[in-house]
Amino acid sequence: MNPADLLFLAFALSVDAFVVAFSFGLIIKKNRFRNGMEISLATGGGQFLMPVLGFLLTGSVHRYIAAWDHWLGFAVFTFLGVNVLREGWNHRNEEEDMPHVTSLTLPTLLAVGIATSIDALVAGVSIYLSSAQCDASPTLHAVLFPAAAIGFTTFLCTAAGFFLTRRLHRFPTFHLEAGAGLILIGLGVKMLCDHLC
């Protein structure tokens, strides 16, 4: 995966974490620095671990799907993109009724970290398939840098979402989610074109 594709992927995957952190940033008034760092670490950590897990799981079955892996990669990215677009559209006019929260508990952080990184698990599948086009059996090293880039980008975006709520609270999050969905679909089309063209 080239650096530009990786950057687009990292930003697209971090949108969910940004939106969740933005929501918590609106309601948490005390200990903001600590809470902001905790939610950023939870989402960044999840976004690092999930692609690695997806990569490892795909490696165990790749020999069975090698003939049509480019179609699978296209389907995975398109599914992710359409799903992000659909969720953004469904929630475009909703005002989230968040409970009063003063700090983030460990169970909440774990839930947020997992919930916002499920898409990254599927992205790990695509990273494996992209690597397999260059190397018949990619090793774990092929996913570590992309996973670290995705995790770090998510950490930064989550922190931005949490700490910039007072400046960004009027910006509609649907535009962010729509952009992320289109980027993911574009990556899927590019993956297919790279293989067929």
Side-chain angles (χ1 to χ4, degrees):
M1 182 170 286
N2 69 51
D5 289 350
L6 178 58
L7 185 63
F8 282 128
L9 176 62
F11 276 111
L13 291 175
S14 67
V15 168
D16 282 350
F18 176 90
V19 172
V20 170
F22 184 83
S23 299
F24 278 112
L26 289 172
I27 59 172
I28 294 178
K29 308 297 183 193
K30 297 180 180 177
N31 300 318
R32 287 186 55 80
F33 182 78
R34 181 175 59 84
N35 284 299
M37 287 296 101
E38 286 176 352
I39 195 169
S40 299
L41 287 170
T43 56
Q47 293 275 30
F48 169 76
L49 293 173
M50 288 295 192
V52 174
L53 181 58
F55 184 93
L56 293 173
L57 292 173
T58 306
S60 63
V61 299
H62 184 251
R63 64 181 177 274
Y64 304 113
I65 60 172
W68 40 275
D69 59 1
H70 51 285
W71 286 104
L72 180 61
F74 168 72
V76 165
F77 275 126
T78 301
F79 170 78
L80 287 175
V82 169
N83 192 46
V84 169
L85 284 169
R86 181 182 54 78
E87 287 184 14
W89 181 259
N90 289 341
H91 299 107
R92 69 193 182 283
N93 294 321
E94 289 183 9
E95 289 291 330
E96 300 243 2
D97 187 19
M98 299 286 285
H100 179 68
V101 177
T102 56
S103 65
L104 296 166
T105 63
L106 183 58
T108 300
L109 290 169
L110 288 173
V112 167
I114 292 169
T116 58
S117 62
I118 295 299
D119 291 349
L121 175 73
V122 183
V125 174
S126 294
I127 292 170
Y128 185 96
L129 298 177
S130 296
S131 301
Q133 291 177 1
C134 303
D135 181 3
S137 84
T139 62
L140 185 61
H141 292 93
V143 75
L144 290 180
F145 177 74
I150 292 167
F152 183 67
T153 301
T154 301
F155 173 86
L156 293 178
C157 288
T158 303
F162 186 88
F163 291 116
L164 297 178
T165 50
R166 292 189 178 97
R167 295 179 184 265
L168 301 175
H169 72 279
R170 295 187 184 278
F171 188 81
T173 57
F174 169 66
H175 297 309
L176 293 172
E177 294 181 278
L182 293 174
I183 287 170
L184 289 168
I185 292 170
L187 288 172
V189 171
K190 184 181 182 298
M191 185 176 188
L192 190 60
C193 289
D194 286 347
H195 190 276
L196 297 179
C197 300

